[in-house]
Amino acid sequence: MRRWDSRSRSVAAVAVAALVVVGVGTSAAWSDGSAPDEAAATPSATSTPSATPTTSPTPTPTPTPKPAPKATPKPTPKPVASKAPAPKPATAGSGVSSSATKAAPAVAKTAAAKKAAAKKSAAAKAAAKKAAAKKAAAKKAAAKKSASTSRASIKAPAKVPSGGLVCRGSGGPGAGEQQVSAIGKAINTYRAKHGLKKLSISRSSTLVQHAKTMATTGGIWHSGHENIVACVSNDSATTMVTAWSKSAPHKAQMLRKDVTHMSVGGAANGSWLFGAVLFT
């Protein structure tokens, strides 16, 4: 009995040892040391003792990796903006080429040329204006001289010839050619009002001279070279035609249908106008 008990105890010890090892590998199901004694007291009838106990390798716990310390980012230094040096103005002889520097003299030169041209043009206009004024003055002086000579050369009778009509308040030196065209146009206007065609008009030196003579003498008469003569005190060709229209013989002459042309002469002396007309 002792031999069995001793063997049994050895087997039980191995079994216990095996259970302990297994318990370590599978996390033991007990919490105190009473279970091994009970297993040793109760032998197992079917268990075959093994000379060498089978042991399971104790698993090596895998070390938990420690988190690597986070690197604290260093602040990135802010770039310092450097001010660009202000460009230096190009100076003569500096060797710096600048389009603006090159353009400035050209612009100034162009402006100066325009100014000079404008000044020259203004001077030319002023000179032309002065020359025109001088020419007009000379022409006026020549006309005045010619009129004076003409008036001086007028040989007028001291009295109005027989059969003539005195124009009271007129006469004396100073008579000159006047309103030849105006007299002709006034007659054509009168003809148009009566439904007649206009007549062509021409200046007659003979009738102009006769008008001057009448204006110098201060009366009107026929010289044999005209159809109608007249004198009016307001220097108006229209008034002269109106005066003719109030005389039947003179009106008949102005409204003739058998004529196509009229020769006209006119002269003034003061405010008086003298006229002579020939219809052909």
Side-chain angles (χ1 to χ4, degrees):
M1 287 298 290
R2 287 183 180 179
R3 185 177 296 179
W4 183 89
D5 289 340
S6 175
R7 186 178 178 184
S8 300
R9 288 177 183 177
S10 299
V11 173
V14 172
V16 171
L19 288 173
V20 171
V21 172
V22 172
V24 173
T26 60
S27 298
W30 55 83
S31 60
D32 54 26
S34 60
D37 291 338
E38 293 175 1
T42 304
S44 175
T46 59
S47 298
T48 302
S50 175
T52 303
T54 303
T55 61
S56 299
T58 303
T60 303
T62 304
T64 303
K66 295 182 180 181
K70 295 182 180 180
T72 304
K74 295 182 179 181
T76 304
K78 295 182 179 180
V80 180
S82 59
K83 294 183 178 180
K88 295 182 180 180
T91 57
S94 64
V96 178
S97 177
S98 172
S99 58
T101 305
K102 290 181 179 180
V107 172
K109 189 175 181 180
T110 302
K114 287 184 177 180
K115 187 176 181 180
K119 188 175 181 180
K120 187 177 180 180
S121 178
K125 288 181 179 179
K129 187 176 181 181
K130 187 176 181 180
K134 188 176 180 181
K135 186 177 180 180
K139 188 176 181 179
K140 187 175 181 181
K144 187 176 181 180
K145 184 178 180 180
S146 177
S148 298
T149 303
S150 178
R151 290 167 185 170
S153 62
I154 295 175
K155 295 179 180 181
K159 294 181 179 180
V160 176
S162 178
L165 178 66
V166 176
C167 300
R168 298 185 183 278
S170 67
E177 181 177 346
Q178 193 70 265
Q179 297 199 46
V180 172
S181 178
I183 294 171
K185 288 180 179 179
I187 293 173
N188 271 336
T189 299
Y190 183 73
R191 284 176 62 86
K193 287 180 180 179
H194 288 77
L196 300 176
K197 294 181 179 180
K198 293 182 179 181
L199 306 177
S200 58
I201 305 169
S202 65
R203 173 187 177 276
S204 170
S205 57
T206 300
L207 295 183
V208 168
Q209 184 60 41
H210 182 53
K212 288 180 180 179
T213 300
M214 293 189 294
T216 301
T217 301
I220 56 175
W221 65 91
H222 289 283
S223 64
H225 300 288
E226 69 287 317
N227 298 120
I228 54 178
V229 294
C231 65
V232 293
S233 61
N234 67 347
D235 194 26
S236 170
T238 301
T239 300
M240 181 173 286
V241 172
T242 300
W244 278 327
S245 67
K246 292 180 179 180
S247 167
H250 295 84
K251 178 179 179 179
Q253 286 292 331
M254 290 192 295
L255 299 179
R256 285 173 62 178
K257 298 179 180 179
D258 61 336
V259 295
T260 58
H261 180 78
M262 60 177 151
S263 300
V264 184
N269 193 347
S271 63
W272 286 80
L273 177 64
F274 292 79
V277 182
L278 173 65
F279 297 99
T280 55

